[in-house]
Amino acid sequence: MAIVNGYITQNDLKTFVGIPTGDSVDDDLLDNAINGASRQIDAFCGRKFYADANATSREYFTRDYYRLYVDDISTTTGLVIKYDDNDDGTYETTVPDTEYKLLPLNGVVDGIEGSPFYIIQLLSDGEYEWPRSVTSNRPYAEVTAKWGYAATPEPIKYACKMLASELFAMRNAPLGVAGVGDFGVVNVQQNREVTRLLLPFRKGSVLGVA
C-alpha cells in the first residue's frame, strides 16, 4: 500500500522503530500505520498538514462586513476571492488583492511560524464589503485556493512517528488488531505527549473557539 499524504516517510518510521531501511518485509504494514496516524492527526486537529496540488473553490457564509474565516490557505498562488453582491447565486464580484489582507500576518500564531492563512480581512477603508442578509440563506463568498499547509510542521511529523509506531506495534496484538483511524484502537487523546505536540495546531484552539 502506498503512503497518501502522509506526514512522514516509510524510512522515517523504520528508523524510529529500529527497522533497517533495507528490510522490506513489513513495508505494507508500515505504510498503513503512517496513513492511519496521519489521518488521526487530521481528525484531532480539524485540519490537514499538506498542501493541495491544485486550486479548488469553496463557498462560505458571511457573518461580518470585513472578516471572513475560511479553511487553511497554503499559498497566495492561484488565490481568487469572489462574492455574490445581489443574492442571485452567482459570484460576480472579484476582490483585488490590494483590497484585503490575509491573516494571520506573517504566518505567525502564538510565536509558531509557518501557519497557513485562514482569515480574509477586507480593508475597512476600501471599496468592498462582504455581503450580508437577514433573509437569505445563500453562501455569499467563494474562495478558490490551494488548501492546507505549505509545509508539514516538525511537531506534526514527530507526533506522526509516535502514533504510527503504536499502530505498527499493534500488528502483534491479540486477535490481530492492527489499529483503526479516527479515535479507534489508538486514541490521540490517550497519548499525552502526542496531545501536547498537537494542541497548538488544533483548529479550535488556534481560532480561539475551543
Side-chain angles (χ1 to χ4, degrees), residues 37 41 154-164 194 197-198:
I41 289 171
E154 290 302 318
I156 299 300
K157 293 180 182 179
Y158 196 76
C160 188
K161 290 179 183 179
M162 297 176 71
L163 283 174
V194 170
L197 289 167
L198 297 181

Side-chain angles (χ1 to χ4, degrees), residues 141-204:
E142 180 190 67
V143 180
T144 300
K146 295 181 180 179
W147 308 101
Y149 262 67
T152 306
E154 290 302 318
I156 299 300
K157 293 180 182 179
Y158 196 76
C160 188
K161 290 179 183 179
M162 297 176 71
L163 283 174
S165 67
E166 292 184 3
L167 285 170
F168 178 68
M170 286 181 176
R171 72 195 188 284
N172 296 321
L175 305 179
V177 176
V180 295
D182 294 351
F183 311 104
V185 178
V186 173
N187 189 323
V188 174
Q189 293 176 314
Q190 292 177 349
N191 189 317
R192 293 183 179 180
E193 294 307 316
V194 170
T195 301
R196 289 191 185 101
L197 289 167
L198 297 181
L199 276 177
F201 301 93
R202 199 172 191 184
K203 190 72 174 282

Side-chain angles (χ1 to χ4, degrees), residues 46-91:
R47 66 203 323 174
K48 63 186 184 184
F49 296 92
Y50 61 89
D52 289 342
N54 301 306
T56 56
S57 63
R58 297 183 181 181
E59 297 176 315
Y60 295 93
F61 293 104
T62 54
R63 296 179 175 86
D64 185 277
Y65 287 117
Y66 298 107
R67 180 167 287 202
L68 179 69
Y69 286 86
V70 298
D71 297 301
D72 295 333
I73 297 172
S74 66
T75 176
T76 57
T77 301
L79 178 62
V80 180
I81 300 169
K82 296 182 177 182
Y83 62 74
D84 175 4
D85 61 11
N86 60 1
D87 196 23
D88 65 352
T90 300
Y91 303 102

Side-chain angles (χ1 to χ4, degrees), residues 102-109 112-117:
L102 297 176
L103 305 179
L105 290 174
N106 307 311
V108 179
V109 177
I112 300 176
E113 298 180 352
S115 172
F117 303 111

